[in-house]
Amino acid sequence: MKCIALISLIFLLTSAASRDLKRFAREAEHKSEIARRFNNLKEETFEAVALITFAQYLQKCSYESLNKLVKVVVDLAHTCVANVDAPGCTKSVPAIFLDEICQIETLHDSYGAMADCCAKADPERNQCFLSFRTTNPSFIKPYEKPEPEAVCREFREDKQSFLGHYIYRAARRFPFVYAPTILALSIDYEHAVETCCARTDIGACLDEKVTALKDRTRQVYKIHRYNCRVLKTFGERSFQADTLALISQKYPKAPFAEIFKTAKDISDEHKECCDGDMVECMDDRAQIVEHICSNQEAFSSTIRECCEKPLVEKCQCVVEAEFDDKPADLPPIAEKYIQDPDVCKHVEEGHNKFMGEFLYDYSRRHQEFSTPMLLRLAKKYEDLLEKCCKTENSSQCYGKAEEEFQNHIQETENLIKANCDLLKQGEFEFLQVVLTRYTKKMPQVPTETLLEVAKKMILVGVKCCQEPENRRIPCGEGYLDMVFQEMCETQKTIPVNDQVAHCCSASYANRIPCFTKLGVDENYVPPPLNPDMFDFGENLCSDPLATQQENQLKLLVNLIKRKPTMTDEQLKKIIAGFKEMVDKCCKKEDHDTCFGEEGGKLIVESRAILGIGV
């Protein structure tokens, strides 16, 4: 976490303890938390969020059985609204849900070890339950597409039940998607069904709209899962700093005080969503959006239409709103942070506030950068000030800050450009280069896994290299870090090597540069050259081009695993030899005999090229 030392200094009230104190004060003011949340959200939304909460914890349960639990919680909320001193009303909302789950008599029969979570005290009880959430569980049958006419009939006959079933299905299949998003998706589904059922081509219409909705759901699931993993791995302070940079970019006209408060509230809301506290997640999202909408002059005039929508749509609209245009009269960043001779004095008077303002000011001026990149630049500035403010001529020393910024900016832009230029040569060529790079960095990773990672990187390139210049860095770094995060999750259970472990956990902001700059793993002990690696089966000559290319990529990876320090020239010679062998033998009538003879020669030549014995 060295590269995010800045973050620990920026935020004054960001620890888990401070959030608990805030909640304590809030509960003292509002004696019954469930009554307050119920009054804020109103019954319909509260009930839907309660269903999402239970469906994400109890993925095996039927819609009908979960609705019984929802009724118990809603009835309690009604009771507490009427009398805050009634039994159970002073418990926290998460505790109320978990207590209901733990009272299920058949919990152990249905969920096995998960029932043992009930013996733990909160918050460990909740974390235990969260650990049992399953993505793509086998006990959920694949979705069977209903007949279009049946969809329309069910929608017309009982819209509430129809949408309730959709919310239930989405929540149990995607147990880490935040409640506000699931509710927004259900409204989009409602609009899709309304539109399609009024048309003659109902089936085709539903297919198109539902497929698009499923794609959006899968994508947002990945994003929410990524957010929660980043929050868990790097902590709340890193997450808050990242949020501060993002909100500064999105609302560049807003004053620092508003951005600081909103960024912290959003970070706290993410924590609640990731902890499964979906009622608080939804209510706090609503409060944040309401604050932004009530202060449009300070934030942005472009969200006026969003703020006129009903609660759920309003929340989603504000979240998805594009960045506002930055003010035309912003002074150069250098005036306050580089040219001012009293910078060190300002740092001494209020280090946290000064560094927070720097991140805010730099971010609002550079909407074309990713948030990790902005955090890296802020860290460079902080390190420079720490060094310079100890010298006699400090202003001359930190006067070099702009040069340091430009060096890192140029390095990042060059890397993005180089990868996009490489992709222009073709996806197969891109795969070869990426696999060569990453097999050398982490040769312990299985060949199939390396291929999967490289293919995901191609998807990042295909998506982001088409973006305008001012969106390429946030797109590229954003999606690439999601690929690394998935890889790092695997690293936790199946360790790769020490240098990968370091990149995965040392710094959120510096994770991409860390992986990019990784060299060959010096501690790796390669296996011997195995003749079987040149054998791709009897269909080698008749395989389609895609399969032949896949075989070539596997050979490339397996060769590098045998000697990660091999040069590009050595690798090219062996791959060329393999291609010549295939070309020659596939022209012969007796393929097998040819491959047996030529394969033996290729193995001898490969060992000689690599300088390794039998």
Side-chain angles (χ1 to χ4, degrees), residues 469-537:
E469 289 288 342
N470 65 340
R471 298 306 304 158
R472 281 191 181 183
I473 293 176
C475 179
E477 289 208 347
Y479 283 104
L480 185 58
D481 199 62
M482 289 176 70
V483 174
F484 287 144
Q485 181 63 49
E486 282 186 37
M487 194 166 63
C488 290
E489 286 302 309
T490 304
Q491 150 77 24
K492 291 178 183 178
T493 52
I494 310 173
V496 177
N497 58 42
D498 290 343
Q499 59 181 12
V500 169
H502 171 77
C503 288
C504 282
S505 60
S507 162
Y508 164 68
N510 216 40
R511 180 155 58 181
I512 290 175
C514 184
F515 273 110
T516 301
K517 294 174 182 177
L518 275 186
V520 173
D521 180 10
E522 300 293 344
N523 297 320
Y524 173 68
V525 179
L529 191 68
N530 186 347
D532 290 344
M533 64 192 287
F534 294 98
D535 183 6
F536 292 100

Side-chain angles (χ1 to χ4, degrees), residues 73 86 444 502 523 533 551 614:
V73 173
Q444 300 89 342
H502 171 77
N523 297 320
M533 64 192 287
N551 290 336
V614 177

Side-chain angles (χ1 to χ4, degrees), residues 415-479:
L415 184 62
I416 294 284
K417 184 179 184 303
N419 284 322
C420 288
D421 288 346
L422 177 61
L423 188 58
K424 289 176 184 176
Q425 298 177 24
E427 292 188 10
F428 182 64
E429 287 71 17
F430 185 91
L431 275 173
Q432 287 181 302
V433 173
V434 169
L435 281 169
T436 300
R437 288 176 189 165
Y438 283 89
T439 305
K440 289 184 176 185
K441 299 172 197 281
M442 48 190 81
Q444 300 89 342
V445 175
T447 301
E448 293 294 340
T449 304
L450 284 165
L451 280 168
E452 286 175 18
V453 169
K455 288 174 182 176
K456 287 175 182 177
M457 289 182 179
I458 273 209
L459 294 177
V460 173
V462 169
K463 177 176 179 58
C464 297
C465 291
Q466 298 178 45
E467 292 285 322
E469 289 288 342
N470 65 340
R471 298 306 304 158
R472 281 191 181 183
I473 293 176
C475 179
E477 289 208 347
Y479 283 104

Side-chain angles (χ1 to χ4, degrees), residues 133-201:
R133 292 192 177 185
T134 307
T135 304
N136 298 322
S138 58
F139 52 78
I140 296 181
K141 296 178 181 178
Y143 177 71
E144 295 181 5
K145 186 173 70 172
E147 290 296 321
E149 292 75 13
V151 171
C152 297
R153 184 176 64 253
E154 290 173 16
F155 180 73
R156 285 191 296 266
E157 289 175 354
D158 192 341
K159 183 190 292 188
Q160 184 177 358
S161 173
F162 180 85
L163 294 175
H165 276 84
Y166 175 85
I167 290 169
Y168 160 74
R169 290 195 302 269
R172 69 195 292 249
R173 288 179 186 276
F174 299 98
F176 296 98
V177 173
Y178 304 167
T181 305
I182 291 178
L183 293 185
L185 289 167
S186 73
I187 291 173
D188 289 343
Y189 183 57
E190 176 185 3
H191 293 161
V193 174
E194 279 179 336
T195 299
C196 293
C197 290
R199 289 170 50 168
T200 54
D201 57 338

